[in-house]
């Protein structure tokens, strides 16, 4: 009786998408129905895993454990993933709400060198700070506390000579930063929380609040999802024709990156009061082709893993 009841309950369950792909490991204890699409009823398309774009190119290394479908697409000779939408959605479910700017604007950015081959083996090597007019306030080079494996020059612009000639201990650099940064400063930057973490800054103690440009410039699309962009891409659209628009494949620099972040924030601040202009810039950001990042083009550099999840070769953990 118990087995019959269990089977009856399973027949009313949602289909198991892993069973339909031949990958379910739960067997008879699975909480979802083991009914293949086309047998009895069709599986709901929303329950079938999205096609694996790496399998389509013959590059998927996950095999049977892959979370995406390795099944051929009906009516297609080869599996090809659907291109993401390049049209801005009409109703953003979580529109940006900026905090009240009760303190002076600053942007801070850091560059790190590699102290090992894993993607998380990094050490602070440069701190850049600019004010609300994009004017440099600090440009500090930091002597890493471990031997440097690679300066990652195409990414950081740093060299052994720069660090040797101008570098100071991290403790002294951080003390200098705290001495000039107002306690009510509003920090802006691309993925700014990561920079704040590197610097050990505390909200409400060392600065007032922070605004992440990655969230500010995201775009809600007709795919009902957010599209996120790199600082380089956003600046190529929003700051085109200005000194802050980064040239393709240009090396990064903490001060230049901080200035670009501030210029982007000021541009957004002005555009937010002009809905048509804001929508036009968002559409341009979404539809402009994006250049592959250095990490995408170079999964490793000088033997150092660049931290792309799909191409990671070091086996190191990913945090967040």
């Amino acid at each position: 009786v118990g087995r019959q009841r269990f089977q009856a309950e399973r027949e009313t369950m949602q289909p198991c998408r892993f069973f339909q792909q031949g990958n379910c490991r739960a067997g008879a204890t699975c909480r979802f129905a083991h009914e293949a699409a086309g047998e009895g009823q069709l599986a709901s398309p929303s329950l079938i895993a999205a096609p694996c774009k790496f399998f389509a190119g013959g590059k998927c290394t996950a095999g049977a454990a892959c979370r995406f479908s390795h099944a051929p697409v009906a009516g297609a000779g080869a599996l090809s993933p659907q291109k993401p939408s390049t049209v801005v959605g009409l109703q953003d479910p979580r529109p940006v709400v900026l905090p009240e700017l009760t303190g002076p604007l600053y942007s801070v950015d850091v560059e790190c060198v590699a102290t090992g081959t894993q993607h998380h083996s990094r050490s602070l090597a440069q701190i850049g700070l600019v004010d609300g007019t994009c004017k440099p306030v600090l440009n500090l080079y930091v002597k890493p506390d471990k031997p440097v494996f690679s300066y990652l020059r195409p990414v950081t612009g740093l060299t052994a000579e720069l660090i040797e000639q101008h570098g100071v201990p991290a403790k002294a650099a951080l003390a200098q930063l705290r001495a000039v940064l107002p306690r009510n400063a509003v920090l802006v930057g691309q993925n700014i929380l990561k920079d704040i973490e590197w610097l050990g800054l505390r909200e409400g103690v060392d600065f007032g609040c922070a605004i992440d440009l990655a969230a500010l410039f995201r775009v809600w699309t007709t795919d009902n999802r957010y599209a996120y962009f790199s600082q380089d891409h956003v600046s190529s659209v929003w700051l085109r024709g200005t000194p802050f628009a980064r040239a393709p494949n240009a090396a990064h620099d903490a001060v230049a990156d901080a200035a670009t972040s501030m210029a982007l924030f000021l541009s957004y601040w002005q555009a937010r009061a002009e809905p048509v202009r804001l929508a036009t810039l968002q559409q341009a950001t979404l539809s402009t082709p994006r250049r592959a990042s250095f990490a995408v083009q170079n999964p490793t550099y000088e033997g150092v893993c660049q931290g792309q999840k799909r191409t990671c070769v070091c086996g190191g953990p990913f945090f967040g």
Side-chain angles (χ1 to χ4, degrees), residues 104-120:
L105 288 169
Y106 282 84
S107 181
V108 66
D109 188 85
V110 305
E111 297 294 342
C112 297
V113 295
T115 55
T117 59
Q118 293 194 326
H119 55 252
H120 57 77

Side-chain angles (χ1 to χ4, degrees), residues 55-88:
F55 178 79
K59 298 180 180 179
C60 182
T61 59
C66 184
R67 296 186 296 109
F68 299 95
S69 174
H70 286 187
V73 176
L79 187 63
S80 57
Q82 182 181 2
K83 290 184 178 180
S85 172
T86 57
V87 179
V88 176

Side-chain angles (χ1 to χ4, degrees), residues 111-116 121-126 140-151 158-160 162-171 173 198:
E111 297 294 342
C112 297
V113 295
T115 55
S121 300
R122 302 289 189 267
S123 184
L124 182 65
Q126 187 188 14
L140 302 172
Y141 293 98
V142 181
K143 290 184 177 179
D145 53 4
K146 296 179 181 178
V148 176
F149 190 91
S150 171
Y151 286 89
L158 298 174
T159 64
L162 268 177
I163 301 300
E164 181 63 30
Q165 184 176 357
H166 302 289
V168 299
K171 186 175 181 180
W198 270 109

